[in-house]
Amino acid sequence: KFAGRDMPKTVNFTEKGLLQAVSEATSGLTGHDFLLEIAKRITMNLGMKYCFIAECANETKTRLRTIVFVEGKNILDNFEYNTNDSGCQMMMNGNTFFMPEGAQKRFPAAKGIEAYVGAPITSPTTGEILGHIAATDPDPVTDEKNQTAVLKIFADRIGAELERIRTEKELISKNAELHYQMKENEF
C-alpha cells in the first residue's frame, strides 16, 4: 500500500497512461501529500529514477529549492541550488525540456544524470514562473519517455496547488492577527 492506494506493477509510457495513472492516484490529495504523490507516481510510471518539484528561491529565478524530491517511492532530503549549469535553467524561460542522454556533459551541475524531462510551473493567476517539475535518470532513455506534454499538465495543477497553499498560509496568518487584535480590544 502506498498513500492508501496499491501501486501498479507495470510501467506505462503512453501520455494517456501516465496522465490517467497519476491523476487517479492524486485525485483526493492536496498540499504536500499531493506534491509527493505526483513525484512518486511520475518516477514509477516513467521508469525514471528521480523526480523533484522545485520552487524559485530568489526573485531573479537563478536559485531553486526542492519542495519534493524522490527516488522512486523513497523520499529524499530537499536542497537548494543554482540553476546555472543545470537542465533546470531551461525551464526558467517557460519552456518544457527533454534530453534523453548527455545531460551531465551539457550541464556540469548534472553530475551522474544522463536523462532529463521537465516542465515549468507557472502561476495560474499571474503567469509568473514559480518553479518546475522534472524527472531524471542516471542512464540514457528512449524518446518514449518524452512526456513533457503530460508533465506540463501536472505542472499547471502544481502551480494552482502552490498558490492555494500560499493563500491558505496567508489566511491563517491574517486570522491569527485578527484574533490577537480582538484580544487586545477586549482588554
Side-chain angles (χ1 to χ4, degrees):
K1 291 270 183 183
F2 191 68
R5 299 167 172 89
D6 289 325
M7 296 289 278
K9 306 271 189 268
T10 59
V11 175
N12 189 337
F13 294 121
T14 67
E15 283 185 3
K16 183 179 176 188
L18 176 60
L19 185 59
Q20 183 176 353
V22 177
S23 295
E24 286 175 359
T26 61
S27 64
L29 301 175
T30 59
H32 191 262
D33 292 339
F34 167 75
L35 300 174
L36 194 56
E37 190 69 14
I38 275 189
K40 289 176 180 179
R41 293 294 176 145
I42 285 173
T43 59
M44 183 191 66
N45 284 280
L46 277 183
M48 294 185 73
K49 188 167 184 175
Y50 304 104
C51 183
F52 58 97
I53 299 169
E55 65 181 350
C56 296
N58 65 3
E59 287 185 31
T60 58
K61 301 181 187 331
T62 57
R63 283 195 65 72
L64 295 169
R65 88 175 59 83
T66 60
I67 50 178
V68 169
F69 183 36
V70 299
E71 177 182 355
K73 296 180 191 178
N74 300 318
I75 301 167
L76 303 176
D77 291 336
N78 287 313
F79 58 95
E80 192 168 309
Y81 62 100
N82 289 321
T83 59
N84 299 342
D85 300 324
S86 78
C88 301
Q89 70 183 341
M90 305 302 286
M91 287 164 293
M92 292 299 94
N93 295 323
N95 300 314
T96 59
F97 182 66
F98 175 65
M99 182 172 240
E101 63 181 305
Q104 62 185 337
K105 287 180 185 169
R106 182 170 175 193
F107 303 107
K111 291 181 178 109
I113 298 298
E114 276 296 308
Y116 190 104
V117 58
I121 298 169
T122 57
S123 163
T125 55
T126 66
E128 175 188 5
I129 294 174
L130 303 175
H132 72 85
I133 181 170
T136 61
D137 202 273
D139 297 316
V141 299
T142 60
D143 284 339
E144 70 183 355
K145 293 192 182 183
N146 183 358
Q147 298 290 327
T148 54
V150 174
L151 285 181
K152 183 63 181 137
I153 292 168
F154 291 122
D156 289 345
R157 173 62 178 87
I158 291 166
E161 187 62 20
L162 291 177
E163 283 201 350
R164 188 198 66 75
I165 291 168
R166 286 183 186 147
T167 301
E168 184 177 58
K169 284 179 182 176
E170 288 173 11
L171 183 60
I172 289 169
S173 175
K174 294 283 185 196
N175 280 337
E177 222 176 275
L178 285 171
H179 184 67
Y180 176 77
Q181 287 176 356
M182 287 174 57
K183 288 244 183 217
E184 276 195 357
N185 287 342
E186 288 177 7
F187 293 119

